[in-house]
Amino acid sequence: MEIKDNFTVGFIGLGLIGGSIAKAIRRVYPNYRIIGYDTDQEALESALTEHILDEKAYLEDGAFSSCNYIFLCAPVSYNLEYLKDLKPILKPGCILTDVGSVKGPIHKAVRELAMEEVFIGGHPMVGSEKAGYSHCTDRLIENAYYFITPTKKMAEEKVTEFSQFIEELGAMTILLDPDRHDSITASISHVPHIVAAELVHLVKNMDDSSGMLKQLAAGGFKDITRIASSSPTVWEQISMENVDNIRSLLISMITDLQKIVDALGKKDGHFVYDYFKEAGEYRALVPDNAVGLMQKTYELFVDIPDEPGTLAATTTFLALHNISIKNVGIIHNREYEEGVFKIVLYDDESAKKAYKILKDRNYDVHIRH
């Protein structure tokens, strides 16, 4: 995308996604003017101190009227209200976008407000259990899919321009109809969050006062239910905004689970075998290198003897090669794991480098795929 003079980008909301996109713009387009608003004054001050924002902006002072792009990065219910405030002050040619994981409600509001000629919906397929500006990174959307959901009245050249802008930030754009977007995200993100929460409820309800299941569930169970730790406020909002798609998929899931219940009752091993086989085959086709809606983990599992100094030696080898370790742990429940010493890295490059270093020293190492 051509770098333009006097180009201004506005942000309403500087949480994990809004703040991260602002940081990416500052890195790629250092001369662009960036203004922002957030109800969290601490986030605003941090963004100013880090020179991510050039200035604080407020809807009532008309500052957003200077913007070429405006990103709505607040919760959907707030964004719908901000649309009304922004409509009378948008300058000609301004593109208004959002980053919400549900597109139906905001597209409906845009139509009702006759703002279809200025709005392009957006949704970066990134996520984390962490929230807020303090967890932002200028690389959050790098190599991630970024859904673009333009209105039917948005000029094609504007869609191309905005898509190129997002791609320059490192993301991979996918053009989608808003309704299709919501059905896709329900299946690969919204329902999995509900299922993860239900698995936790299942174990919680089986636990007793000793908390034995809580201890035994460490390792694989904790990993597959990791997303159940996401913000309940955020997931209440998402669930309420995409009700029809989520309910339809959950009903379909209940039907499939009933088939498993029936097969177990009949001791139909062939059905159960095919069930696991088909799931495994499809999962094997899911790429490892793409960034999806749920944050990827970069983990190594290392078999080491239970001897004094072995843990320290292992981490020291990595430190000597300037590899930063995010977290470590000992796996006691190894039903779903390989290796006893778990090492969590910050990125895929570090994981691959650490894997090679340890393999070269004859460690028995397994990398999570």
Side-chain angles (χ1 to χ4, degrees):
M1 179 179 172
E2 178 187 356
I3 297 178
K4 305 172 184 176
D5 294 328
N6 303 316
F7 200 87
T8 300
V9 183
F11 283 86
I12 298 180
L14 288 167
L16 177 70
I17 294 178
S20 293
I21 294 175
K23 286 187 175 186
I25 293 172
R26 179 60 73 209
R27 173 173 54 81
V28 177
Y29 300 108
N31 296 324
Y32 279 13
R33 179 169 168 263
I34 305 176
I35 64 175
Y37 165 76
D38 198 297
T39 55
D40 182 350
Q41 291 299 311
E42 186 176 341
L44 276 176
E45 293 302 328
S46 294
L48 286 167
T49 300
E50 296 173 12
H51 303 293
I52 301 304
L53 291 186
D54 291 293
E55 66 176 84
K56 290 187 284 188
Y58 299 91
L59 289 167
E60 56 268 23
D61 66 13
F64 286 100
S65 62
S66 66
C67 292
N68 300 88
Y69 291 165
I70 299 175
F71 284 80
L72 294 172
C73 305
V76 171
S77 58
Y78 290 96
N79 286 341
L80 299 182
E81 293 301 314
Y82 291 138
L83 285 174
K84 301 172 187 176
D85 296 324
L86 289 168
K87 181 180 178 180
I89 68 169
L90 295 179
K91 80 175 188 178
C94 177
I95 291 178
L96 182 62
T97 188
D98 78 320
V99 296
S101 65
V102 182
K103 309 291 4 140
I106 197 161
H107 272 273
K108 180 175 183 289
V110 164
R111 288 193 299 272
E112 292 174 348
L113 290 167
M115 298 178 70
E116 291 178 275
E117 294 180 356
V118 302
F119 184 77
I120 299 176
H123 174 208
M125 289 181 64
V126 294
S128 171
E129 301 82 58
K130 306 297 183 182
Y133 183 81
S134 61
H135 297 287
C136 293
T137 165
D138 66 351
R139 304 282 179 173
L140 184 70
I141 67 170
E142 192 170 71
N143 296 319
Y145 293 119
Y146 197 118
F147 288 127
I148 303 290
T149 62
T151 68
K152 293 179 180 178
K153 294 184 179 180
M154 173 56 71
E156 186 176 339
E157 62 269 21
K158 283 287 189 180
V159 177
T160 300
E161 173 194 312
F162 182 72
S163 297
Q164 289 176 346
F165 174 78
I166 294 299
E167 288 169 2
E168 288 292 330
L169 301 181
M172 299 175 288
T173 59
I174 299 176
L175 203 64
L176 271 184
D177 171 82
D179 291 338
R180 175 63 174 155
H181 167 276
D182 286 356
S183 66
I184 289 173
T185 52
S187 66
I188 62 175
S189 175
H190 305 165
V191 168
H193 274 79
I194 292 174
V195 172
E198 176 54 31
L199 287 173
V200 175
H201 282 293
L202 182 70
V203 173
K204 173 179 174 289
N205 293 336
M206 289 181 61
D207 212 350
D208 55 27
S209 58
S210 71
M212 179 181 289
L213 268 69
K214 193 184 302 178
Q215 295 299 319
L216 296 177
F221 178 84
K222 192 164 185 179
D223 285 338
I224 64 175
T225 59
R226 174 174 51 85
I227 55 176
S229 297
S230 301
S231 166
T233 301
V234 168
W235 282 97
E236 176 196 4
Q237 293 172 354
I238 289 174
S239 298
M240 293 302 99
E241 291 154 8
N242 203 14
V243 168
D244 291 343
N245 285 307
I246 292 173
R247 286 188 73 253
S248 176
L249 287 168
L250 286 174
I251 290 169
S252 177
M253 177 176 285
I254 290 168
T255 300
D256 285 346
L257 287 173
Q258 186 59 54
K259 291 177 183 177
I260 289 291
V261 171
D262 293 342
L264 292 171
K266 298 174 184 176
K267 295 188 176 180
D268 185 350
H270 293 294
F271 182 92
V272 175
Y273 173 85
D274 288 341
Y275 178 83
F276 284 110
K277 180 174 181 289
E278 290 173 14
E281 288 174 346
Y282 185 83
R283 185 186 181 280
L285 299 174
V286 177
D288 293 323
N289 56 351
V291 179
L293 272 168
M294 288 170 277
Q295 188 183 44
K296 181 177 173 62
T297 56
Y298 306 95
E299 301 169 347
L300 298 180
F301 297 86
V302 189
D303 276 321
I304 57 176
D306 184 12
E307 298 173 356
T310 52
L311 295 183
T314 305
T315 54
T316 298
F317 291 144
L318 301 183
L320 290 172
H321 288 82
N322 297 315
I323 295 177
S324 297
I325 296 174
K326 186 175 184 180
N327 204 352
V328 296
I330 302 296
I331 304 300
H332 297 291
N333 176 354
R334 300 181 59 191
E335 183 179 3
Y336 304 107
E337 307 289 2
E338 299 163 310
V340 66
F341 184 37
K342 175 179 174 180
I343 305 173
V344 184
L345 290 309
Y346 281 94
D347 51 52
D348 189 49
E349 183 181 350
S350 296
K352 290 176 180 176
K353 186 177 178 182
Y355 176 82
K356 185 178 186 308
I357 290 168
L358 295 176
K359 288 292 283 188
D360 288 347
R361 290 184 173 271
N362 297 317
Y363 280 83
D364 187 7
V365 190
H366 310 272
I367 193 165
R368 166 67 58 84
H369 294 294

